[in-house]
Amino acid sequence: MNVGVAHSEVNPNTRVMNSRGMWLTYALGVGLLHIVLLSIPFFSVPVAWTLTNVIHNLGMYVFLHAVKGTPFETPDQGKARLLTHWEQLDYGVQFTSSRKFFTISPIILYFLASFYTKYDTTHFILNTASLLSVLIPKMPQLHGITHTVNMLIFNKTAGVFFKPSRRKIYEVLGSFHFYPGKRFLHKLVLGIETSCDDTAAAVVDEAGNVLGEAIHSQTEVHLKTGGIIPPVAQQLHRENIQRIVQEALSASAVSPRELSAIATTIKPGLALSLGVGLSFSLQLVDQFKKPFIPIHHMEAHALTIRLTNKVEFPFLVLLISGGHCLLALVRGVSDFLLLGKSLDIAPGDMLDKVARRLSLIKHPECSTMSGGKAIEHLAKQGNRLHFDFQPPMQRAKNCDFSFSGLQHVIDKMIMQKEKEEGIEQGHILSSAADIAAAVQHTVACHIAKRTHRAILFCKQRGLLGQSNTVLVVSGGVASNLHIRKALEIVTNATQCTLLCPPPRLCTDNGVMIAWNGIERLRAGLGILHNTEGIRYEPKLKELNVLSFEYKDDATNCLMSFERFC
């Protein structure tokens, strides 16, 4: 029957496919599918985008390549009846707005999916092969190749789309939450940090997007008191924690009921400070019935790099701050092999004490800086060669650190210079800049040499790959550019990659706590639904440092490193 003759208009079926309502409904359907996939806890963001893209492209394949002319027939009902939509498009037959939509939408969705899977080779190839299947229909041999690639990749990634137990399915279905307007509808974590003197909070999603953060620094108060006084820090945390958490939530446009979990630092740190954060967090957990994730402060520092860079396990991490100094091999989210630690005080603590001994708070350029920042700033104006401080533990065949002996030597030197210049303690020495430069350089050399030993040991024992070896440096002292330079020389000499989080993420912050919560949610580790008996732990439990000796024939660093040190 000739439809064009039987009706007053040419093929009324074209109205269906030409209407905006049809393809708008299709777009909404794809969007709803994507929301459902994102809401499944055991589907990561790349997996959800890849599935959406592949399913969408299958739909496009049906529309463009499989379905014949109707309702895209010409009035004469001739050859066009035997053609697919894609073939009709090639012939310029009825180039409707709907067909334009079907043609361009696979390409647009491909670019969207690629944005979230560009660092995941497997999913990126799958998205590309899926798009080729839609866009290259007239080359059977190539079509067969793309089909084969699709099958191979699906087989390779079968582990991602595992079959959960029936109980797991019920749990997942019961945990679906739909909140219109939210970019990601799963794995939103609120992180709270109060381990020392900064009150911080942040909301982070599974893709690593920092949706909102806030921080209140106590530095100015503690500078006036000459150091951190725990009861003062505790009171300041109490006064600010509710405001800081509310600011982070408001900035993220996320309500507490939408959170997947609440993560909080419970160890190590100042007992009074940790107690404030834990108490406030448990109130939120009880009020909104959310899972609680206790966070190890040093683990959070170590994993922060995975928020900003695609770093795979294992990797070596150096954590240097005002309270800690350790070297560890990171084999998993909560799997650390301790290689070395400070036997006494931390480098940041030592730099703060030297700054106080030099009375740098009275220096006009350093009055608002912490001790470590003041040393770094003043060192730029000094000559390190005017003083000769030897790095500690030069004969020790391990990766431990020590700074108290060095501090004692520096104190004696400062006292001697005060006598020579005829000034009393509390006044600024004329040679303060030179002392700061020498101290900073000696600390940098000590840290670099111990780290160099750890890299060589891990490579010789096969704990790290010979290629693509990564050294991550984090913590407050990691923001010191002179120390970073020393570590760059070490990593260049050992063919390693040096990675440091941005300076704002090196110091204590809520983002790293929230991200650690995301990492633990993904791995299913340490997620508490019952917080009874949870306690903070101010001190680290004693860990046995891995004792080792190795051939010293590889320990001579490059000449640039020798000149630096």
Side-chain angles (χ1 to χ4, degrees):
M1 181 182 73
N2 191 320
V3 179
V5 175
H7 296 272
S8 59
E9 62 179 307
V10 177
N11 193 0
N13 290 334
T14 60
R15 294 169 57 191
V16 179
M17 297 298 285
N18 251 348
S19 67
R20 292 184 178 180
M22 191 285 305
W23 50 264
L24 182 59
T25 301
Y26 181 88
L28 291 174
V30 172
L32 181 61
L33 168 67
H34 188 55
I35 290 174
V36 171
L37 293 176
L38 282 174
S39 301
I40 300 177
F42 47 80
F43 277 179
S44 66
V45 172
V47 168
W49 274 100
T50 301
L51 280 174
T52 302
N53 186 43
V54 171
I55 294 172
H56 168 70
N57 284 340
L58 288 174
M60 293 299 97
Y61 185 89
V62 171
F63 274 117
L64 293 172
H65 306 319
V67 178
K68 295 296 182 178
T70 304
F72 285 96
E73 296 178 351
T74 54
D76 62 3
Q77 301 294 288
K79 295 181 179 180
R81 183 181 184 86
L82 304 177
L83 302 178
T84 64
H85 296 171
W86 191 270
E87 290 168 333
Q88 291 186 53
L89 185 65
D90 285 349
Y91 293 149
V93 178
Q94 294 186 5
F95 197 89
T96 65
S97 58
S98 295
R99 194 179 289 124
K100 293 177 186 177
F101 169 80
F102 288 140
T103 305
I104 198 66
S105 62
I107 301 173
I108 294 175
L109 189 57
Y110 167 76
F111 283 115
L112 285 173
S114 297
F115 176 80
Y116 290 98
T117 61
K118 59 183 176 182
Y119 297 117
D120 188 327
T121 304
T122 300
H123 289 102
F124 186 81
I125 294 174
L126 178 57
N127 280 310
T128 303
S130 176
L131 180 66
L132 290 175
S133 297
V134 176
L135 299 182
I136 309 179
K138 298 178 182 178
M139 298 175 63
Q141 63 278 17
L142 184 57
H143 210 100
I145 292 174
T146 56
H147 175 75
T148 303
V149 170
N150 270 321
M151 293 302 101
L152 288 175
I153 296 174
F154 268 121
N155 290 334
K156 182 178 179 182
T157 58
V160 177
F161 310 106
F162 62 93
K163 294 182 179 180
S165 64
R166 181 176 298 180
R167 179 180 177 181
K168 182 68 176 177
I169 293 175
Y170 290 154
E171 291 177 355
V172 169
L173 292 176
S175 66
F176 282 169
H177 298 286
F178 296 93
Y179 301 102
K182 293 292 179 291
R183 188 172 9 171
F184 297 107
L185 306 182
H186 65 301
K187 291 186 176 64
L188 293 169
V189 174
L190 168 66
I192 298 176
E193 156 64 16
T194 62
S195 66
C196 191
D197 60 335
D198 288 329
T199 310
V203 178
V204 176
D205 66 22
E206 186 184 9
N209 297 297
V210 180
L211 305 183
E213 64 176 312
I215 187 169
H216 177 267
S217 176
Q218 303 177 6
T219 301
E220 186 176 346
V221 174
H222 297 308
L223 280 175
K224 295 178 180 178
T225 59
I228 298 174
I229 302 175
V232 174
Q234 179 190 41
Q235 183 58 34
L236 291 172
H237 282 308
R238 285 175 174 168
E239 293 174 0
N240 292 285
I241 188 167
Q242 183 172 0
R243 174 180 61 84
I244 290 300
V245 171
Q246 186 56 53
E247 286 181 6
L249 289 170
S250 298
S252 67
V254 171
S255 75
R257 298 189 184 280
E258 299 172 56
L259 296 170
S260 303
I262 296 173
T264 305
T265 307
I266 69 161
K267 61 182 177 182
L270 299 176
L272 296 179
S273 296
L274 290 170
V276 175
L278 179 59
S279 176
F280 186 83
S281 299
L282 294 182
Q283 291 178 17
L284 289 179
V285 167
D286 183 63
Q287 179 181 356
F288 297 103
K289 308 302 179 186
K290 297 297 177 181
F292 179 69
I293 305 177
I295 298 297
H296 190 302
H297 188 75
M298 306 315 292
E299 178 181 301
H301 270 306
L303 298 179
T304 300
I305 195 65
R306 285 166 54 86
L307 171 68
T308 58
N309 299 77
K310 185 175 176 60
V311 178
E312 301 295 336
F313 301 117
F315 61 87
L316 193 65
V317 66
L318 169 65
L319 302 178
I320 42 178
S321 67
H324 304 281
C325 181
L326 61 87
L327 268 166
L329 181 68
V330 186
R331 300 180 292 194
V333 172
S334 64
D335 186 4
F336 288 70
L337 176 63
L338 186 64
L339 300 175
K341 62 179 180 179
S342 176
L343 301 178
D344 34 64
I345 62 175
D349 186 21
M350 194 214 77
L351 292 173
D352 287 342
K353 289 177 177 177
V354 171
R356 285 199 295 271
R357 186 63 182 82
L358 288 171
S359 302
L360 296 188
I361 193 172
K362 296 181 180 179
H363 195 288
E365 298 178 13
C366 307
S367 59
T368 60
M369 298 179 182
S370 64
K373 287 292 183 184
I375 292 288
E376 182 179 10
H377 176 77
L378 206 59
K380 298 174 183 178
Q381 307 169 21
N383 186 345
R384 65 179 177 85
L385 298 178
H386 286 175
F387 294 91
D388 184 21
F389 300 125
Q390 294 299 314
M393 302 181 69
Q394 297 199 62
R395 295 186 179 182
K397 291 189 175 183
N398 55 41
C399 292
D400 289 334
F401 304 85
S402 176
F403 298 95
S404 62
L406 177 60
Q407 182 197 337
H408 180 66
V409 171
I410 294 167
D411 285 345
K412 290 180 63 177
M413 178 64 73
I414 294 174
M415 186 180 300
Q416 178 182 335
K417 295 301 294 182
E418 286 173 342
K419 290 180 180 179
E420 291 178 3
E421 296 185 15
I423 65 173
E424 296 180 357
Q425 182 176 336
H427 292 76
I428 300 176
L429 290 168
S430 61
S431 56
D434 295 336
I435 294 174
V439 169
Q440 177 181 252
H441 184 74
T442 306
V443 170
C445 289
H446 179 45
I447 291 174
K449 286 181 176 180
R450 313 314 286 172
T451 304
H452 181 231
R453 291 181 63 84
I455 294 173
L456 294 177
F457 171 76
C458 288
K459 286 196 170 186
Q460 289 181 9
R461 292 293 180 88
L463 300 175
L464 287 172
Q466 295 299 317
S467 60
N468 299 324
T469 304
V470 174
L471 169 66
V472 174
V473 184
S474 188
V477 180
S479 61
N480 184 294
L481 297 181
H482 191 76
I483 293 176
R484 284 197 189 190
K485 178 61 178 178
L487 292 169
E488 282 179 11
I489 294 172
V490 170
T491 52
N492 290 337
T494 52
Q495 290 78 52
C496 293
T497 300
L498 175 65
L499 295 177
C500 301
R504 72 181 186 86
L505 297 181
C506 282
T507 55
D508 295 348
N509 60 88
V511 174
M512 70 178 190
I513 305 303
W515 176 250
N516 198 171
I518 290 289
E519 292 267 30
R520 284 186 162 267
L521 271 180
R522 286 174 172 173
L525 297 171
I527 304 166
L528 305 180
H529 296 275
N530 183 356
T531 57
E532 185 177 355
I534 189 72
R535 297 288 185 272
Y536 55 82
E537 301 176 34
K539 294 183 179 180
L540 282 173
K541 293 181 180 179
E542 283 298 318
L543 297 175
N544 293 324
V545 179
L546 187 63
S547 59
F548 56 85
E549 291 190 14
Y550 57 92
K551 294 180 180 179
D552 236 15
D553 52 347
T555 59
N556 292 323
C557 214
L558 292 182
M559 289 302 296
S560 58
F561 179 60
E562 294 295 342
R563 286 197 300 270
F564 185 88
C565 293

